[in-house]
Amino acid sequence: DPRQMQDLPLNGRNWIDLTMLAPGARQNTSGDTPMGGAGNFQLNIDGQEVTNNMVQSFGQPKFSRDSIAEFEFVSNRFDASQGRSMGVQINAITKSGTNNPNGTFSGYFRDDRFIAKDFIQNRVLPYQDQQLSVTFGGPIKKDRIHYFANYEYEHNPVTYSHSSPWPSFNFDAKSNNTEKKGGARLDFQFTSQTRLTFRGNWARVHLPLDPRYSGGATRHPSTGIEVGRQNANVTVNLTQVLGSQTVNELKGGYSGYSWYQDSVLRWAN
């Protein structure tokens, strides 16, 4: 619920990690996915399917933790309105504005001065991470039109250490990873029975060195790969309460996820 989303401590501030608290979760780490393997999970944001089902090793759409109001982890049999998953469903609802203008500004920082030596390298590896997040919402017209917007930026300088049998190859490779996430939402309350919602989110992830292909004892620094990931989605939702037992809902939207990867070596023309 919103109180737990706000107060639970979370290293890295990835809200998907909170799914590990739910009964039925069997992972020690989540990353972008609540359960490994294509077809084993489905991510729904405000009723829109946003799951990347193509190459899941490139991750899933990113959403700022401060934009998520609450989420539901469904590990048992789900109803016919949901699907495309052999395992679990994650249903999340984004935040909306209220009659009271309010917002947040927060920063989160990690530094190698507070970490122990690496077991293999026998030294403290350089590490930093800075995250800044801002949200603001309020009324355009009291009781009728409300807005909410958010933006989050993460800067993560990382050092990958090589430990091959050839000392001349064993130098550190540095990477300044960045992650940007933003979103906006408009809610129109025409009557007590009719509501219209517009919501859009986007994210950009840039990894000058993909951690899967950097560092360790079996790779040369020249084998590094640069990766970029981006997602965007838009949802329009019209809800009408027609009676005590009847609700009419009309939804439309777009969800896109793309990526690129390239060698860190640049060839002369």
Side-chain angles (χ1 to χ4, degrees):
D1 59 38
R3 177 70 179 274
Q4 293 168 315
M5 289 290 296
Q6 178 179 334
D7 293 346
L8 282 173
L10 194 58
N11 184 16
R13 306 190 69 252
N14 176 16
W15 67 277
I16 293 291
D17 284 340
L18 292 174
T19 62
M20 294 188 294
L21 299 175
R26 300 186 298 275
Q27 294 197 132
N28 293 322
T29 181
S30 291
D32 290 346
T33 63
M35 183 176 291
N40 288 326
F41 67 92
Q42 180 70 39
L43 302 176
N44 302 309
I45 306 295
D46 294 326
Q48 180 189 33
E49 300 173 4
V50 299
T51 314
N52 167 30
N53 287 316
M54 296 297 293
V55 183
Q56 293 194 356
S57 61
F58 282 98
Q60 295 296 320
K62 298 282 190 175
F63 297 87
S64 171
R65 180 186 180 179
D66 293 333
S67 70
I68 303 296
E70 56 186 293
F71 75 89
E72 175 188 37
F73 180 93
V74 185
S75 58
N76 56 331
R77 180 174 296 181
F78 29 82
D79 61 52
S81 66
Q82 305 179 63
R84 297 175 176 83
S85 170
M86 297 181 294
V88 301
Q89 295 274 338
I90 306 297
N91 300 314
I93 299 174
T94 58
K95 292 181 179 179
S96 59
T98 65
N99 282 331
N100 298 316
N102 61 78
T104 62
F105 178 78
S106 52
Y108 306 86
F109 308 96
R110 298 173 63 189
D111 193 272
D112 54 32
R113 290 177 293 179
F114 304 100
I115 62 178
K117 291 182 179 180
D118 180 80
F119 182 78
I120 301 298
Q121 297 294 323
N122 194 32
R123 62 187 174 100
V124 175
L125 297 178
Y127 182 84
Q128 289 185 342
D129 187 46
Q130 305 95 35
Q131 292 175 294
L132 298 174
S133 178
V134 59
T135 69
F136 196 82
I140 297 177
K141 185 176 182 180
K142 188 176 181 180
D143 296 327
R144 294 295 184 183
I145 307 175
H146 301 88
Y147 68 92
F148 179 85
N150 73 280
Y151 177 77
E152 183 172 324
Y153 174 77
E154 180 176 4
H155 178 245
N156 177 213
V158 178
T159 299
Y160 299 105
S161 177
H162 296 81
S163 55
S164 72
W166 296 275
S168 60
F169 293 168
N170 296 337
F171 57 87
D172 291 342
K174 300 182 182 298
S175 175
N176 286 316
N177 303 336
T178 59
E179 189 169 308
K180 304 173 184 178
K181 299 184 284 284
R185 173 170 168 159
L186 280 174
D187 292 276
F188 300 84
Q189 190 76 40
F190 298 116
T191 67
S192 59
Q193 289 81 31
T194 305
R195 181 186 184 94
L196 178 66
T197 298
F198 293 92
R199 194 241 339 136
N201 290 85
W202 63 270
R204 299 291 183 269
V205 178
H206 181 224
L207 306 177
L209 285 174
D210 191 319
R212 297 173 299 172
Y213 306 103
S214 301
T218 60
R219 286 189 172 275
H220 187 274
S222 64
T223 63
I225 293 178
E226 177 188 5
V227 172
R229 304 168 183 167
Q230 44 273 325
N231 67 270
N233 54 84
V234 179
T235 298
V236 181
N237 193 342
L238 176 64
T239 303
Q240 295 174 294
V241 179
L242 303 180
S244 60
Q245 296 181 337
T246 307
V247 176
N248 178 54
E249 192 169 45
L250 179 64
K251 294 182 179 181
Y254 162 82
S255 179
Y257 190 90
S258 59
W259 62 85
Y260 72 86
Q261 61 177 358
D262 196 5
S263 171
V264 297
L265 298 180
R266 299 294 186 260
W267 300 94
N269 294 328

